[in-house]
Amino acid sequence: MQQRTENPVAMLSGPTAAGAWSLLTGGQDCVAPHAGRDPSREAAAAAVEILPGLGEAVRATEKFVARALRRALEQVGVRQVVHIGPGFPPPGGRPCTHHLVHAHAPQVRVVYVDSDPAVLACLRERCGRDAEAVSVVEADLRRPAELLAASGVDLGQPVAVVLANVLTFLPLEAAVPVMQDLIAPLALGSHVIVAEPMAGLLDEPVQAALNAMAARGAPAAYARTRPQMLELLAGLVLLEPGVYPVSFCLQDPLAPVPMVPVLGGVGWRGWDGWSP
């Protein structure tokens, strides 16, 4: 591992999911070139060649997460947020999750959880020093019980869990039990915010774009249909409007709505037939 200079990210020999996805939205300093190549940039470029709107889809997902978090904070009073698989901090001055949260409720505890060493280093450098209420934890989504324990959140109190374009790296047969184990210990009133690349939207070749990234060494990723998203959120009360493209979810009905190939949904840990 290269000694850190101004950039806290270690030199990598292959593309990473976090590096490629960051580059889709203009990230410049997330992954260092290796042996004259920039593998994450190559993976991102291959995806954009097939689906030019991927960068806008990532930005729309950020807006969806921001709206969903604001709803959890203001309408329900959630005071703990766990962002699983956040990837590198957004480029271009766009706010990190804790900036969004603390703009509405400065006392809320925000925990970033990731398993990528480069992401963890970057998050600690750029996000973890902003406030005492922010922490960065290494844990693996595939082991939900260990992840929740490492996060240090109080499972006796409601928590907002963010999973934006991270379950996509698990096949559905693995992602569903992971979600069940993640949801089961959460307190009543908890919110689970999920966004995933969408399969079948206007015949957009989303899976082909994800496959192009994987063909260049990035981790395999899977686009989801709406029924598959409902499987991931099983056991939760879906908040309106349910599972839809993120540009529609929690959107001002009078605002223009661009179509993006990402599905989003917010599940509430509560009683059937009642939602906040």
Side-chain angles (χ1 to χ4, degrees), residues 36-117:
R37 295 179 58 241
D38 191 339
S40 291
R41 189 175 299 280
E42 292 170 7
V48 170
E49 184 175 350
I50 295 172
L51 189 60
L54 267 179
E56 181 54 41
V58 175
R59 286 186 286 270
T61 302
E62 292 174 4
K63 295 176 183 177
F64 159 71
V65 169
R67 292 193 297 268
L69 282 173
R70 185 167 62 247
R71 184 176 186 175
L73 296 170
E74 295 182 349
Q75 296 187 15
V76 184
V78 169
R79 289 298 175 262
Q80 305 177 102
V81 175
V82 177
H83 191 161
I84 301 173
F88 292 108
R94 301 200 306 278
C96 296
T97 299
H98 70 281
H99 295 140
L100 298 169
V101 168
H102 291 157
H104 297 280
Q107 73 278 22
V108 171
R109 184 181 180 203
V110 178
V111 183
Y112 294 104
V113 181
D114 211 295
S115 59
D116 185 324

Side-chain angles (χ1 to χ4, degrees), residues 31-237:
V31 179
H34 181 81
R37 295 179 58 241
D38 191 339
S40 291
R41 189 175 299 280
E42 292 170 7
V48 170
E49 184 175 350
I50 295 172
L51 189 60
L54 267 179
E56 181 54 41
V58 175
R59 286 186 286 270
T61 302
E62 292 174 4
K63 295 176 183 177
F64 159 71
V65 169
R67 292 193 297 268
L69 282 173
R70 185 167 62 247
R71 184 176 186 175
L73 296 170
E74 295 182 349
Q75 296 187 15
V76 184
V78 169
R79 289 298 175 262
Q80 305 177 102
V81 175
V82 177
H83 191 161
I84 301 173
F88 292 108
R94 301 200 306 278
C96 296
T97 299
H98 70 281
H99 295 140
L100 298 169
V101 168
H102 291 157
H104 297 280
Q107 73 278 22
V108 171
R109 184 181 180 203
V110 178
V111 183
Y112 294 104
V113 181
D114 211 295
S115 59
D116 185 324
V119 169
L120 292 166
C122 196
L123 286 170
R124 287 170 178 142
E125 180 76 14
R126 301 187 189 179
C127 298
R129 300 177 180 178
D130 283 6
E132 293 183 359
V134 179
S135 57
V136 179
V137 173
E138 181 176 6
D140 194 322
L141 172 61
R142 294 169 294 183
R143 295 187 286 274
E146 294 177 19
L147 184 153
L148 289 172
S151 74
V153 297
D154 181 356
L155 293 177
Q157 298 296 322
V159 57
V161 179
V162 178
L163 300 119
N165 296 323
V166 61
L167 289 166
T168 187
F169 298 108
L170 298 176
L172 187 67
E173 59 269 22
V176 169
V178 162
M179 282 295 286
Q180 291 172 344
D181 290 345
L182 184 67
I183 291 167
L186 300 181
L188 292 176
S190 294
H191 283 56
V192 180
I193 302 163
V194 177
E196 293 276 271
M198 180 179 182
L201 175 62
L202 302 177
D203 294 323
E204 297 271 18
V206 178
Q207 188 61 57
L210 298 176
N211 291 345
M213 297 171 76
R216 284 153 181 82
Y222 306 88
R224 310 289 192 203
T225 64
R226 188 171 181 275
Q228 289 172 337
M229 282 285 287
L230 293 173
E231 284 189 64
L232 293 174
L233 291 164
L236 298 169
V237 179

